[in-house]
Amino acid sequence: MKTARLFLCLAACLSVTLAENPAEADELVRFESAPVTLSAFRIRKAAEQGEILSQPPGTPLLGYLSRPRGDGPFPAVVVMHGCEGMRPSVKDLWPKRLVSWGYVVLVVDSFTTRNIQDTCRSTLPDRVFDAYGALNFLSKSSIVDIRRVALMGFSTGGTATLEATKIEGNEQLMEHKFRAAVAYYPACAASQGDATVPTLILSGDRDNWSPAEPCRKRLARIGDDAPPIEFNLYKGVYHNFDAPEFAVGRRVLGHIEKYNPDAAAKSIRSVYTFLRTFLPK
């Protein structure tokens, strides 16, 4: 009974928030990925050969910006899509949900300006720099509290989220930092170890595209003083379990993608609590 009352109370609170704080229309924005910083070794070698290397520019990107009504500054969430691109739940449903909770949302489109349809059979290693380019863009906005920005990704976007916030990764080269990370069904790297920020990982135990075991192994390697990594594993659940557009389910490259409303609801409550905890007002 207590659990039921808590859920009803949370649902009511979220409904009130949505009614009092409706989202403004999505705005198409343009920015660049964070440039890949030249290493001291490359600069020195070029100088030895009489060459001067210029800093390579970032990649032009598109994004969809949504915000609560009001002056802010608000906390924010940068969202990274999966290998199939800008599906409806990532482009529309999650931003509306996050805005109703009081967050500015920037969904990063990593494909359009690169003329890419999908990366389900390949990889796009530059997506960590896309995430930090989005963070740099938000840092110039008066409506965003740059001290309270989380990175959130789905599938390969979730993998990029973990890469962007791993210790001794490219994060250490960036001026601005994320404060928390949320990764839906990412491909964990068992050897990755500590994260630089509190992290929430959400996966299904029947997901053979992003299996849970490497995530378990990573958790076993984190240090006692490292930021916490919370791993929520849902039983009987497949890839893309939070996405209503996969209510019927489908098989892609031998992998099942299927919506699970119960797991989706539980995961949404976990994300709400996590963001409230680690991006406090």
Side-chain angles (χ1 to χ4, degrees), residues 40-53:
F41 175 79
R42 287 189 62 193
I43 294 173
R44 185 174 68 254
K45 283 297 182 182
E48 290 173 356
Q49 297 172 10
E51 299 178 11
I52 299 177
L53 295 180

Side-chain angles (χ1 to χ4, degrees), residues 183-186 201-216 231-242 256 258 260 263-264 267:
Y184 267 88
Y185 31 85
I201 301 173
L202 310 109
S203 300
D205 71 342
R206 302 191 72 176
D207 187 340
N208 66 348
W209 204 328
S210 302
E213 189 56 29
C215 295
R216 288 197 187 97
F231 180 39
N232 292 357
L233 186 64
Y234 302 101
K235 292 184 178 180
V237 172
Y238 296 96
H239 204 72
N240 285 341
F241 65 83
D242 68 304
I256 295 175
K258 189 173 183 179
N260 185 298
S267 74

Side-chain angles (χ1 to χ4, degrees), residues 5-113:
R5 284 197 297 270
L6 178 62
F7 174 74
L8 290 173
C9 179
L10 177 59
C13 290
L14 296 186
S15 297
V16 169
T17 302
L18 179 58
E20 294 180 349
N21 213 10
E24 293 189 354
D26 291 346
E27 177 187 358
L28 179 66
V29 296
R30 300 174 186 275
F31 54 95
E32 290 186 351
S33 64
V36 180
T37 304
L38 294 173
S39 69
F41 175 79
R42 287 189 62 193
I43 294 173
R44 185 174 68 254
K45 283 297 182 182
E48 290 173 356
Q49 297 172 10
E51 299 178 11
I52 299 177
L53 295 180
S54 59
Q55 177 67 50
T59 300
L61 296 170
L62 301 179
Y64 295 89
L65 183 69
S66 304
R67 53 165 293 184
R69 294 194 186 280
D71 297 329
F74 302 102
V77 180
V78 172
V79 176
M80 306 291 285
H81 62 71
C83 74
E84 75 284 359
M86 302 284 281
R87 71 177 191 225
S89 57
V90 171
K91 184 177 181 293
D92 300 316
L93 182 58
W94 267 106
K96 286 182 173 65
R97 182 178 293 133
L98 291 165
V99 168
S100 77
W101 296 349
Y103 300 94
V104 171
V105 182
L106 178 55
V107 182
V108 181
D109 179 354
S110 291
F111 289 175
T112 298
T113 56

Side-chain angles (χ1 to χ4, degrees), residues 37-281:
T37 304
L38 294 173
S39 69
F41 175 79
R42 287 189 62 193
I43 294 173
R44 185 174 68 254
K45 283 297 182 182
E48 290 173 356
Q49 297 172 10
E51 299 178 11
I52 299 177
L53 295 180
S54 59
Q55 177 67 50
T59 300
L61 296 170
L62 301 179
Y64 295 89
L65 183 69
S66 304
R67 53 165 293 184
R69 294 194 186 280
D71 297 329
F74 302 102
V77 180
V78 172
V79 176
M80 306 291 285
H81 62 71
C83 74
E84 75 284 359
M86 302 284 281
R87 71 177 191 225
S89 57
V90 171
K91 184 177 181 293
D92 300 316
L93 182 58
W94 267 106
K96 286 182 173 65
R97 182 178 293 133
L98 291 165
V99 168
S100 77
W101 296 349
Y103 300 94
V104 171
V105 182
L106 178 55
V107 182
V108 181
D109 179 354
S110 291
F111 289 175
T112 298
T113 56
R114 292 184 172 104
N115 295 315
I116 295 174
Q117 295 298 316
D118 68 70
T119 57
C120 297
R121 295 176 178 83
S122 59
T123 59
L124 181 57
D126 292 341
R127 297 196 69 196
V128 166
F129 297 95
D130 293 0
Y132 281 101
L135 186 61
N136 291 339
F137 174 82
L138 291 178
S139 73
K140 300 176 177 66
S141 172
S142 62
I143 66 169
V144 173
D145 182 352
I146 199 60
R147 300 166 301 173
R148 295 187 293 149
V149 183
L151 180 58
M152 180 178 188
F154 299 82
S155 192
T156 55
T159 304
T161 294
L162 299 184
E163 284 287 326
T165 54
K166 69 179 182 180
I167 197 166
E168 297 181 354
N170 288 304
E171 188 258 7
Q172 62 188 322
L173 304 175
M174 304 299 171
E175 177 183 1
H176 300 289
K177 317 287 186 182
F178 290 103
R179 300 304 177 193
V182 177
Y184 267 88
Y185 31 85
C188 292
S191 60
Q192 210 163 63
D194 293 350
T196 59
V197 296
T199 301
L200 174 63
I201 301 173
L202 310 109
S203 300
D205 71 342
R206 302 191 72 176
D207 187 340
N208 66 348
W209 204 328
S210 302
E213 189 56 29
C215 295
R216 288 197 187 97
K217 290 181 177 179
R218 182 185 181 186
L219 262 66
R221 293 174 55 89
I222 62 175
D224 293 337
D225 298 326
I229 299 179
E230 178 183 342
F231 180 39
N232 292 357
L233 186 64
Y234 302 101
K235 292 184 178 180
V237 172
Y238 296 96
H239 204 72
N240 285 341
F241 65 83
D242 68 304
E245 57 264 48
F246 300 121
V248 175
R250 67 177 187 175
R251 186 179 293 272
V252 179
L253 302 176
H255 307 288
I256 295 175
E257 300 178 339
K258 189 173 183 179
Y259 175 59
N260 185 298
D262 181 59
K266 289 178 180 177
S267 74
I268 290 165
R269 293 195 294 272
S270 292
V271 172
Y272 177 85
T273 300
F274 177 82
L275 293 177
R276 279 290 183 266
T277 301
F278 294 107
L279 296 182
K281 293 184 179 180

